[in-house]
Amino acid sequence: SIWSQFAISIMHLSFFEAAMIKARKGKLEAIPLSSTFFAFATSALILLSIALNIGNQYLVFGIISDLESGVLLFFFLCLIGTFTNAFSSLERIDLSFSRINRERVVSPIFFAIALSLLWYSDFISLNAVLIAFIGSKLPVLLMRFWRYRNMVKWPVNLELGVSSLWLGSKLHISAIIAMVSSQIDRMVISSLWPPAELAFYLVAFSVAGAAMSVATQAIQIVLLPHLAGASTARSLESIARSIRVGIFVSVLLAAPIYFLAPILIPWVYGDDFAVAGSMAQGLLASTVFGPPLAIVIAANKSFENALAGIQMGSASLIAFLIGWWATGFESISELLITLA
């Protein structure tokens, strides 16, 4: 999962987000820009297919035949991710958030149905689950293609494309660092801790971070296009108000998780996972900052300030690595203190 996210991020170089920011600042509409987005998405996928073909011929993909199907599935994941980013950015330009929210609900429903069918037919495997995941994304993707089928206006907007590539390449560095800093704890402890303790931590993290993740994603989707399309004075006013609301929402979400986690986790996962309840309480000290940080990141992007995002992510990584060097993360308390 993490490598597919990296690949998709590397492929589009934050182009779609940068183009959305440029379009909102220039008061441009989404439909005339469709050709620019489609042209970039197609070019990125062609380059990826060439890279994967070379890897399949000359690298480990050609030596280990079991990976060939994995490479194909990986390509389809990247294809879906790339066009999903393109369509979402086009809809964010026109502030079509209700449509985005409806479409975000459809795929999980299809995926849950597919998993239920696989489980009922006793056909569960890694490839089957990946195929089910890809299949669950296709209905929304096809609906979006159908919606934009007659809306692609040529020629490609080269000025927007070049300026978006330049801004996107800067935002891209910030996005990669932010992605690593947000997942570095799981990347490190997966090789340090025994499987049982790692399972406790992953369950605790999913509980502590689930609600915060929903709030953070909502902020990222909605706030950035609003700020990018507003004047500087209005943006600053919106940022100040959003941070206050973000802090309130964080506390509102964290309070019930803190009290319910020790009860719900053993009830759902069994008494053996009781220790994950206290882990979840400790993790709230770091996950509670998710929504306010998302607001600050969106504000920096709206002002095209990639350097601030790089500095924030780098500071987080440095603090984590210092904690790792100083303690070795031999206990959960050492990791939680570092994350906080």
Side-chain angles (χ1 to χ4, degrees), residues 7 11 43-53 74-75 78-79:
M11 280 169 51
S43 301
L45 289 167
I46 290 173
L47 291 175
L48 175 67
S49 63
I50 293 172
L52 289 178
N53 185 60
F74 177 77
F75 174 79
C78 292
L79 184 150

Side-chain angles (χ1 to χ4, degrees), residues 4 48 52 56 61 64-78 126-128 130-131 134:
S4 62
L48 175 67
L52 289 178
N56 190 49
F61 303 134
I64 306 174
S65 59
D66 291 344
L67 288 179
E68 292 182 359
S69 60
V71 171
L72 186 61
L73 290 172
F74 177 77
F75 174 79
F76 279 109
L77 283 171
C78 292
L126 177 59
N127 281 350
L130 285 174
I131 292 172
I134 292 171

